[in-house]
Amino acid sequence: MAQTLDADVIVIGSGIGGLVTATQLAAKGASVIVLERYLIAGGSGGYFERNGYRFDVGASMIFGFGDRGTTNLLTRALAAVNMKMETIPDPVQIHYHLPNHLEIEVHRDYEKFLQELGDRFPHERVGIRKFYDECWKIFNCLNAIELLSLEEWRYLMRVFFQNPLACLGLAAYLPQNAGDIAKKYIRDPELLQFIDMECYCWSVVPADRTPAINAGMVFSDRHYGGINYPVGGVGKIAEKLAEGLEKAGSEIRYGARVTQIIPKAKSGKGAIGVKLANGEVLYAKKVVSNATRWDTFGNLLKDEPLPNGEKGWQSRYQKSPSFLSLHLGVEAAAIPDGAACHHILLEDWQDMQNEQGTIFVSIPTLLDRSLAPEGYHIVHTFTPSWMSEWEDLSASEYEAKKNDAARKLCDRLLAIFPKLEDCLDYQEVGTPRSHRRFLGRADGTYGPIPTGKPLGLLGMPFNRTSIPDLYCVGDSTFPGQGLNAVAFSGFACGHLVASSLGLV
């Protein structure tokens, strides 16, 4: 008698990586159940509403919404389930406010950006162009091939025969880091520090620990596909993917917290299973975990011995810091005319990687005014912070520390928004404990960072695991952190699982 399965595939978590995997599979005819512990989809790509403000949980600098090439992964993911989104182009990716009065805007226009950076470092104009042009070489290789699973041999053979030069080009860059390339062309130490920040702002590590392929994608796509903000907020991306998933005949369950993955050999059904907090057990042919690998193997598979492959990976990578987040509603007068949507503030280069050193600022209402009441703006400020800074505190100590940290952040922001304090309307503070609680991420981390200097992307784990029929997706799999990167992971995982099911 055939065994009864609840779905072809169960996906644990509805972050963007999990949703892209699920929608890719549903579009190919698989039955999928997505299990989400929270009340809405999206994870760190979600939202929350307070007092008429719609706040993004995480960053609002969004790649992947271009209309050409193959690297526009969010556009393609939505299209796979017949969905699309209206977006607003951002003319400036970031306005940097750095030590020694280093003020640089990264314009969508590539030549305008090179001109501005070259004006600050005129003796390095040639090196600047050579470095960023080499990043374009990497991007052009990526943008020439369909981005699917590097673990599926038929795909690898197909793309190699279709575009061998692009594949060979990417292979050459796989073991390289962005800092190695920068130092080939640039000598000025301050400019190299700037490139460190260019990497740190999305990889949370400096250039010598940032894979060159990731840098090539980010440093070029901001000028190619551009930074585009989704109308209605970042959370709309997950909403649309979830809607498309259900229209394709699959299912997403909210308030469904998975407490255990039951390996195939122990399920008693010849299938892999998951157990929910309410005691319900579901079975499928395949399970995909969008939890971090630390949560997957340390919590959901805690009764199983840690596989050697995971031991090796955990020796090469550690958890990145979480963030201290300050969500503000302010009167419009707080934001100067002509201000960019995204800013980075750092007063001392020595503090770049330190606890609460670098400040990230996003003002999405400069692009979409519907996110706040009329006459007001959202200012989302966040800075790296470790869980160890927030543990072992009483309730009163925790609140006092949050308020003190928020005050210090606001004081620093006065350097670029001098009217901010006088225009404050609403404030909410989130800590690494908030990220752990609401997003279910180990120590509130936003993904892995290398413990030492990596060999580019060669040390990152892929989607397949050593547990039969268990796959991982998201920022602790190739190619790493960032919304477009986890979408790439979702395309790869969806393709790999679909291949194993005979759907491609």
Side-chain angles (χ1 to χ4, degrees):
M1 180 180 295
Q3 294 169 341
T4 301
L5 298 175
D6 296 282
D8 292 324
V9 182
I10 291 171
V11 177
I12 303 169
S14 68
I16 297 301
L19 285 174
V20 171
T21 301
T23 48
Q24 286 290 299
L25 286 164
K28 293 175 173 64
S31 62
V32 184
I33 298 174
V34 177
L35 301 171
E36 169 54 51
R37 61 184 284 156
Y38 195 49
L39 304 177
I40 61 170
S44 55
Y47 71 95
F48 64 96
E49 294 179 322
R50 300 283 191 275
N51 292 19
Y53 297 96
R54 185 181 176 111
F55 293 105
D56 297 326
V57 170
S60 55
M61 188 191 304
I62 308 301
F63 296 82
F65 273 126
D67 57 6
R68 54 188 175 140
T70 63
T71 55
N72 54 344
L73 296 174
L74 294 177
T75 300
R76 292 174 54 212
L78 290 161
V81 283
N82 300 310
M83 306 299 290
K84 60 182 179 179
M85 293 189 66
E86 182 183 356
T87 60
I88 302 166
D90 192 345
V92 174
Q93 181 210 10
I94 299 173
H95 183 171
Y96 288 107
H97 310 267
L98 302 175
N100 194 27
H101 305 290
L102 179 54
E103 297 271 342
I104 297 291
E105 288 188 321
V106 181
H107 301 279
R108 192 182 188 113
D109 184 302
Y110 180 57
E111 293 299 329
K112 189 175 181 181
F113 163 59
L114 292 190
Q115 180 66 43
E116 182 166 325
L117 189 58
D119 287 346
R120 176 61 189 250
F121 300 98
H123 53 294
E124 290 278 19
R125 281 192 192 276
V126 172
I128 289 169
R129 180 171 291 279
K130 285 184 176 180
F131 169 66
Y132 285 103
D133 278 359
E134 186 152 347
C135 291
W136 272 103
K137 292 179 183 178
I138 298 170
F139 177 79
N140 290 335
C141 290
L142 287 166
N143 206 34
I145 62 176
E146 188 179 11
L147 302 178
L148 294 173
S149 176
L150 301 182
E151 297 179 89
E152 210 279 292
W153 65 271
R154 288 172 299 178
Y155 158 74
L156 290 176
M157 289 182 63
R158 185 175 77 248
V159 296
F160 181 80
F161 285 115
Q162 288 173 344
N163 203 326
L165 293 179
C167 292
L168 291 171
L170 287 176
Y173 285 109
L174 268 173
Q176 297 189 53
N177 297 314
D180 300 324
I181 298 173
K183 288 171 183 173
K184 285 197 305 184
Y185 304 119
I186 293 169
R187 294 291 177 267
D188 188 295
E190 186 180 34
L191 179 55
L192 289 172
Q193 287 176 313
F194 173 78
I195 292 172
D196 278 339
M197 179 60 83
E198 278 261 82
C199 292
Y200 181 79
C201 71
W202 48 271
S203 70
V204 206
V205 287
D208 65 354
R209 295 166 66 191
T210 297
I213 286 183
N214 290 22
M217 172 76 92
V218 172
F219 292 162
S220 305
D221 194 37
R222 61 190 181 184
H223 308 292
Y224 180 84
I227 307 299
N228 300 280
Y229 190 79
V231 172
V234 174
K236 287 291 182 182
I237 303 170
E239 285 185 1
K240 288 284 188 180
L241 287 170
E243 181 183 348
L245 176 74
E246 292 177 327
K247 285 184 176 179
S250 285
E251 177 184 0
I252 181 167
R253 299 185 190 179
Y254 298 103
R257 182 168 67 89
V258 175
T259 59
Q260 183 182 1
I261 295 171
I262 306 171
K264 186 173 181 178
K266 296 186 178 183
S267 71
K269 284 180 172 281
I272 188 168
V274 300
K275 185 177 183 179
L276 305 184
N278 65 5
E280 184 180 6
V281 179
L282 302 173
Y283 294 96
K285 297 175 183 176
K286 312 285 179 181
V287 167
V288 176
S289 176
N290 192 198
T292 72
R293 290 184 96 102
W294 294 283
D295 288 296
T296 300
F297 288 91
N299 295 327
L300 301 180
L301 284 162
K302 58 181 176 293
D303 296 331
E304 303 298 316
L306 186 65
N308 289 333
E310 295 304 313
K311 291 179 182 177
W313 178 72
Q314 290 188 21
S315 71
R316 298 189 303 273
Y317 286 82
Q318 63 183 343
K319 303 181 191 98
S320 74
S322 185
F323 287 98
L324 171 70
S325 296
L326 184 59
H327 300 275
L328 303 177
V330 301
E331 296 173 15
I335 308 304
D337 291 340
C341 178
H342 299 101
H343 300 256
I344 286 181
L345 173 64
L346 179 67
E347 298 90 351
D348 187 332
W349 285 115
Q350 298 301 315
D351 291 333
M352 185 180 80
Q353 298 181 73
N354 290 347
E355 166 79 20
Q356 299 179 43
T358 299
I359 295 179
F360 304 78
V361 181
S362 174
I363 314 169
T365 40
L366 288 172
L367 300 174
D368 184 356
R369 298 305 297 265
S370 72
L371 303 174
E374 186 175 353
Y376 291 83
H377 279 301
I378 285 170
V379 178
H380 178 198
T381 297
F382 50 106
T383 184
S385 185
W386 297 93
M387 179 64 75
S388 58
E389 293 289 319
W390 298 92
E391 290 186 311
D392 302 322
L393 300 173
S394 68
S396 60
E397 289 171 336
Y398 181 55
E399 287 303 314
K401 185 165 184 171
K402 286 202 301 183
N403 290 333
D404 183 58
R407 178 185 56 78
K408 290 177 179 177
L409 275 181
C410 283
D411 286 347
R412 292 172 65 189
L413 287 177
L414 294 177
I416 51 178
F417 303 121
K419 297 181 181 179
L420 186 70
E421 194 171 41
D422 296 332
C423 295
L424 186 62
D425 174 61
Y426 179 82
Q427 173 180 299
E428 185 160 340
V429 184
T431 72
R433 285 168 55 169
S434 311
H435 292 96
R436 180 177 63 186
R437 176 186 175 189
F438 292 105
L439 303 180
R441 300 179 64 89
D443 293 333
T445 180
Y446 266 63
I449 55 176
T451 52
K453 185 175 180 180
L455 281 172
L457 279 175
L458 291 180
M460 283 291 291
F462 289 91
N463 302 110
R464 187 182 278 118
T465 76
S466 58
I467 306 296
D469 297 321
L470 174 65
Y471 301 80
C472 283
V473 72
D475 50 31
S476 48
T477 63
F478 179 94
Q481 298 182 43
L483 218 59
N484 213 27
V486 298
F488 186 165
S489 175
F491 272 93
C493 191
H495 176 76
L496 182 62
V497 174
S499 176
S500 71
L501 293 171
L503 299 176
V504 294

